[in-house]
Amino acid sequence: MPTIHVQHDGHARILSDMSSGSATVVRSWSARATAAGAAAYVRHFQDAVLPSLRRLPGHCGALVLRRSGDPDVEIVVLTLWASMDAVRTFAGADASVAVVEPEARATLTAFDA
């Protein structure tokens, strides 16, 4: 799977992991963190979340977008799925509920539930 880093405001802010599958569903989630917390969240996403997502049937890719603000960094995560059934495999019966592991929670100042 290719990884794409895009420069914005002189800093790499987008991390993507796109498979060759065809996504029909995009799941979005947003959070806020300090600069250090945002960097820790991206590391956690790369090291723990992506490997787990890759093992799920119907997962088609993910994007992590960061935008620096004052004083926090906004994080938006988009995950791409082949179907709502694939989303429910990841998120559970209520696909609108966020899946935020304790390690990720520790890096964030606020996030969508």
Side-chain angles (χ1 to χ4, degrees):
M1 292 181 198
T3 299
I4 303 167
H5 294 278
V6 177
Q7 294 295 115
H8 179 69
D9 294 334
H11 298 90
R13 295 291 185 223
I14 299 175
L15 161 73
S16 71
D17 177 41
M18 308 297 285
S19 73
S20 59
S22 173
T24 60
V25 177
V26 177
R27 179 177 160 93
S28 68
W29 174 80
S30 65
R32 292 198 156 296
T34 63
Y41 178 80
V42 170
R43 280 192 304 276
H44 168 73
F45 193 89
Q46 286 178 299
D47 297 344
V49 177
L50 275 179
S52 295
L53 291 175
R54 288 178 180 144
R55 290 190 290 272
L56 295 175
H59 176 257
C60 299
L63 297 167
V64 174
L65 298 92
R66 293 174 33 173
R67 180 171 53 193
S68 295
D70 187 21
D72 290 337
V73 175
E74 179 183 8
I75 301 167
V76 176
V77 178
L78 304 174
T79 52
L80 291 76
W81 303 92
S83 67
M84 281 305 297
D85 285 337
V87 172
R88 284 188 283 276
T89 297
F90 166 69
D94 185 354
S96 68
V97 174
V99 178
V100 188
E101 299 170 348
E103 185 178 337
R105 289 174 187 255
T107 68
L108 305 169
T109 57
F111 58 88
D112 291 342

